[in-house]
Amino acid sequence: MAFAVFADGTANLPGSLLDGIRLLPGEITIDGKSVTYTGDIEHFDVKSYYDSLRSGVSVRTSLLNTNLFLTYFEPVLKEGLDAVYISMSSGISGTYNAARLAADQLHDEYPDRIVHIVDSHGCGFGNGLLALKAAELAKQGVDTAEASKILDDMVEHCCQYFTVDDLNFLKRTGRVSGAAALIGTTLHIKPILYGDSTGHIVSCASCHGRRKAIRMLASKYAEKKMDLNAPKIFISHGDCLDDAMSLKEMILEITPDADVTVCPHEPFSGAHVGPGMLGLFFLGKER
C-alpha cells in the first residue's frame, strides 16, 4: 500500500530536501511570544534565534500533541493511503508517545490502514536521515509494511555525534550537573555527546578546546562510517558556520566523494544545546 511520509521541524531538513515529506508545525515560545515553526530551516531566522539564546532570553519548546497528529494523519487515511511518521527520540521528548496515541486511535477507526511511528532515537538530522529514506522508499513504491521494517532497522545505523560550546545549556536540561558545567566552562572542556541505542543523549568523550572537539567528531566518523559510495553526511550548527565548514573539510579528507550537507541546527533541540552546537550525522556500522 502506498504511504505518505510525515516529519516535523526537528528533522532539520532544508526546503531543497523536503520533496515527498509532509512537515508538521511546532510551537516555540521566545520571550513570552509564541512562534510557529513550519519546519523549513532555510526560512527560519537562525541568527536572531541563537542571538536570543546568547542574550539569555527565555525560550521554551512544546511537544507535538495527539490532536495535531490526528489532524494531519486522518485526511491521508481517508484518501486511501497509509502514513509513516518519523519521530524525534522517545528518550528526549513525549512527542513519540503522542503520535503513538494518535496511531492507536486511528487504527480503531481505519482498521485497513497503517499508521507507523518510527522512533528515530535521535533528533535533528538524526531523524531527518530517516525521513529522507522514507520519502525515497515511498517514491520507489515500496509497500508500507516493508518500508516500516527497513526504517526501524535503519535506526541503529543512524550515528549522531555533537559538541557544544556552552555547557550551561545542557545543565538547564539536566544533561550535566551545575558543578560539571562550571568546571567544563572554566577549563574549556568540550564534551562529545551522542544519541545512544535507547534514544538518550550521553557523553562519550571530552576534549580540551574547541578545535580538538571538532577533530574528535571527524574521528568518530572515521571510526563508525560504512564503506558506501558517495555517502550522504549532514552537519548542523548553532550559528557557527566556520566551525561547520572546518568539520566538512575534515570529513572530505576522510571520504572525498561524500555528499555533505551543512545547515543551521533546528530550534527545538537548539534551545537545549545552545549557540555553538556542532553536530555530525551519518549512517554507520553502529551507533
Side-chain angles (χ1 to χ4, degrees):
M1 175 62 66
F3 61 93
V5 177
F6 291 91
D8 59 66
T10 65
N12 215 133
L13 297 170
S16 58
L17 296 178
L18 287 173
D19 185 32
I21 300 172
R22 310 183 191 204
L23 289 182
L24 281 70
E27 296 297 319
I28 306 169
T29 302
I30 304 174
D31 199 20
K33 298 178 181 178
S34 181
V35 176
T36 298
Y37 177 55
T38 59
D40 180 355
I41 191 66
E42 291 176 330
H43 292 88
F44 186 72
D45 190 346
V46 172
K47 177 66 175 174
S48 175
Y49 180 74
Y50 282 104
D51 278 346
S52 294
L53 291 173
R54 289 185 180 100
S55 66
V57 167
S58 172
V59 176
R60 293 188 296 106
T61 60
S62 302
L63 59 82
L64 278 62
N65 61 54
T66 298
N67 284 335
L68 180 68
F69 289 113
L70 292 172
T71 299
Y72 274 77
F73 291 167
E74 188 166 22
V76 167
L77 304 185
K78 287 181 176 179
E79 292 175 18
L81 297 174
D82 294 333
V84 174
Y85 169 64
I86 313 298
S87 172
M88 69 185 298
S89 173
S90 62
I92 58 176
S93 172
T95 293
Y96 171 80
N97 288 330
R100 282 291 328 148
L101 288 173
D104 291 343
Q105 181 174 326
L106 290 168
H107 176 71
D108 294 338
E109 299 176 26
Y110 301 88
D112 295 331
R113 299 273 72 81
I114 296 173
V115 178
H116 184 70
I117 313 300
V118 179
D119 185 350
S120 70
H121 287 171
C123 197
F125 282 122
N127 45 311
L129 269 168
L130 291 164
L132 290 171
K133 182 64 175 180
E136 177 186 322
L137 293 171
K139 290 173 186 175
Q140 292 172 350
V142 177
D143 70 57
T144 312
E146 183 181 354
S148 297
K149 184 180 186 308
I150 291 171
L151 293 167
D152 287 340
D153 290 345
M154 189 175 164
V155 168
E156 290 308 309
H157 296 281
C158 290
C159 297
Q160 43 205 322
Y161 291 91
F162 67 98
T163 189
V164 297
D165 197 43
D166 185 347
L167 283 164
N168 285 304
F169 286 94
L170 288 170
K171 181 191 76 173
R172 292 170 198 166
T173 56
R175 300 302 179 192
V176 296
S177 69
L182 176 61
I183 293 170
T185 301
T186 302
L187 299 180
H188 303 291
I189 294 173
K190 306 300 180 184
I192 304 297
L193 304 113
Y194 77 107
D196 69 10
S197 60
T198 67
H200 293 84
I201 297 172
V202 296
S203 175
C204 62
S206 60
C207 303
H208 289 275
R210 179 74 166 182
R211 190 66 182 174
K212 288 182 179 178
I214 297 173
R215 291 196 193 100
M216 178 63 77
L217 291 175
S219 72
K220 287 296 182 183
Y221 167 72
E223 174 190 349
K224 300 283 188 177
K225 71 181 182 70
M226 289 179 168
D227 292 326
L228 302 172
N229 292 324
K232 294 184 182 297
I233 299 166
F234 298 88
I235 296 170
S236 65
H237 64 91
D239 194 29
C240 53
L241 179 59
D242 289 346
D243 287 345
M245 297 308 293
S246 293
L247 179 57
K248 177 180 178 179
E249 290 177 7
M250 295 178 191
I251 296 303
L252 290 174
E253 288 176 3
I254 299 167
T255 306
D257 69 339
D259 179 3
V260 184
T261 296
V262 176
C263 76
H265 191 68
E266 48 83 16
F268 282 91
S269 58
H272 303 283
V273 293
M277 174 273 181
L278 183 63
L280 177 64
F281 307 82
F282 58 95
L283 290 178
K285 291 174 284 189
E286 61 182 2
R287 279 181 177 257

